[in-house]
């Protein structure tokens, strides 16, 4: 990319380090930003900075939030004795969009993957077990139906079984290898309603 000046090249390089952004898209985004009004660029960059500085883990469910406790965990109308375990905050949002789940969540921030060297200690599993020392009726495992998601589900269910807490797994209406956030709400609801005891 020598044919661009140093600062333009730098901008393109930064964009191309983002997931799903190839060299061509990175160039398109860079020139788009350069053509934007200054105020809009300032608003974009401050949104990125502010979110990065202020967003943290909810101290109960570990979802990403601006506050110590997320709005879902704060909501006393929800059933805090039913915990749905998801891989990430986007999966949580997918279930929230259905508007039908009245329990609370636990966000693992990943899944166990021996191939990628991600073990049980690399996800928020200890934190889940600590939560389960409270009065909990059911843990619904809603990890993805990928190999990693299934491995994680099996691992968690083995860990929880001795506590006597009911463990369920969402139905496999969710396509194998499917990323939860791309699945429509009807399929998600069907998966939730058709969950089976592990
Ligand atoms: Zn929370």
């Amino acid at each position: 990319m020598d044919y661009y000046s140093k600062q333009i090249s730098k901008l393109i390089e930064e964009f191309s380090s983002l997931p799903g952004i190839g060299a061509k898209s990175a160039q398109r985004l860079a020139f788009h930003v350069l053509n934007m009004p200054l105020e809009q660029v300032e608003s974009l960059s401050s949104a990125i900075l502010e979110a990065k500085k202020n967003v943290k883990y909810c101290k109960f469910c570990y979802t990403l939030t601006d506050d110590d406790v997320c709005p879902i965990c704060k909501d006393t109308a929800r059933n805090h004795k039913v915990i749905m375990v998801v891989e990430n905050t986007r999966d949580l949002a997918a279930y929230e969009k259905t508007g039908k789940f009245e329990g609370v969540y636990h966000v693992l921030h990943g899944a166990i993957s021996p191939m990628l060297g991600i073990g049980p200690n690399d996800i928020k599993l200890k934190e889940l077990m600590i939560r389960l020392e409270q009065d909990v009726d059911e843990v619904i495992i809603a990890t993805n139906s990928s190999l990693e998601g299934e491995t994680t589900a099996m691992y968690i269910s083995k860990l929880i079984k001795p506590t006597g807490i009911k463990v369920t797994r969402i139905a496999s209406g969710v396509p194998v290898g499917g990323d939860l956030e791309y699945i429509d709400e009807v399929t998600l609801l069907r998966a939730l309603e058709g969950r089976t005891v592990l």
Side-chain angles (χ1 to χ4, degrees):
M1 282 176 203
D2 291 326
Y3 31 88
Y4 294 130
S5 73
K6 227 160 103 193
Q7 292 190 352
I8 297 176
S9 294
K10 170 78 179 149
L11 189 56
I12 295 172
E13 194 189 303
E14 291 293 342
F15 276 123
S16 54
S17 72
L18 298 174
I21 308 288
K24 264 195 183 156
S25 303
Q27 288 186 47
R28 204 157 31 94
L29 285 170
F31 286 106
H32 180 80
V33 166
L34 292 173
N35 282 319
M36 274 160 55
L38 183 61
E39 310 82 76
Q40 216 182 321
V41 179
E42 280 170 345
S43 158
L44 172 67
S45 58
S46 80
I48 294 173
L49 273 176
E50 291 306 304
K52 182 62 195 169
K53 277 193 235 156
N54 299 320
V55 170
K56 50 192 160 196
Y57 292 138
C58 166
K59 67 176 182 180
F60 295 115
C61 73
Y62 291 86
T63 193
L64 294 169
T65 181
D66 309 355
D67 245 326
D68 284 345
V69 180
C70 77
I72 297 169
C73 288
K74 263 186 205 155
D75 190 346
T76 50
R78 299 185 75 123
N79 184 354
H80 290 252
K81 292 183 177 184
V82 176
I83 299 177
M84 187 194 289
V85 179
V86 292
E87 289 184 21
N88 56 51
T89 297
R90 288 170 318 205
D91 291 345
L92 177 157
Y95 270 103
E96 270 310 277
K97 257 203 319 214
T98 68
K100 292 278 160 60
F101 178 62
E102 281 160 4
V104 293
Y105 296 89
H106 187 87
V107 182
L108 294 172
H109 293 281
I112 297 170
S113 169
M115 232 164 58
L116 296 174
I118 301 169
N121 289 330
D122 300 313
I123 58 176
K124 303 279 177 210
L125 204 52
K126 273 194 307 283
E127 292 80 354
L128 173 66
M129 296 314 290
I130 292 168
R131 270 182 97 183
L132 298 186
E133 287 165 14
Q134 311 288 318
D135 191 12
V136 173
D137 290 337
E138 182 181 355
V139 174
I140 303 168
I141 305 177
T143 51
N144 292 336
S145 53
S146 59
L147 181 62
E148 293 79 15
E150 292 299 347
T151 306
T152 309
M154 245 164 359
Y155 189 91
I156 296 177
S157 86
K158 270 191 202 142
L159 216 56
I160 298 179
K161 277 261 173 72
T163 67
I165 296 169
K166 183 179 175 190
V167 188
T168 55
R169 174 87 173 113
I170 54 165
S172 52
V174 179
V176 171
D179 230 322
L180 274 187
E181 57 172 324
Y182 296 119
I183 294 161
D184 68 88
E185 290 159 35
V186 179
T187 312
L188 277 184
L189 275 182
R190 217 176 286 146
L192 180 58
E193 278 155 13
R195 66 187 185 272
T196 47
V197 178
L198 289 178

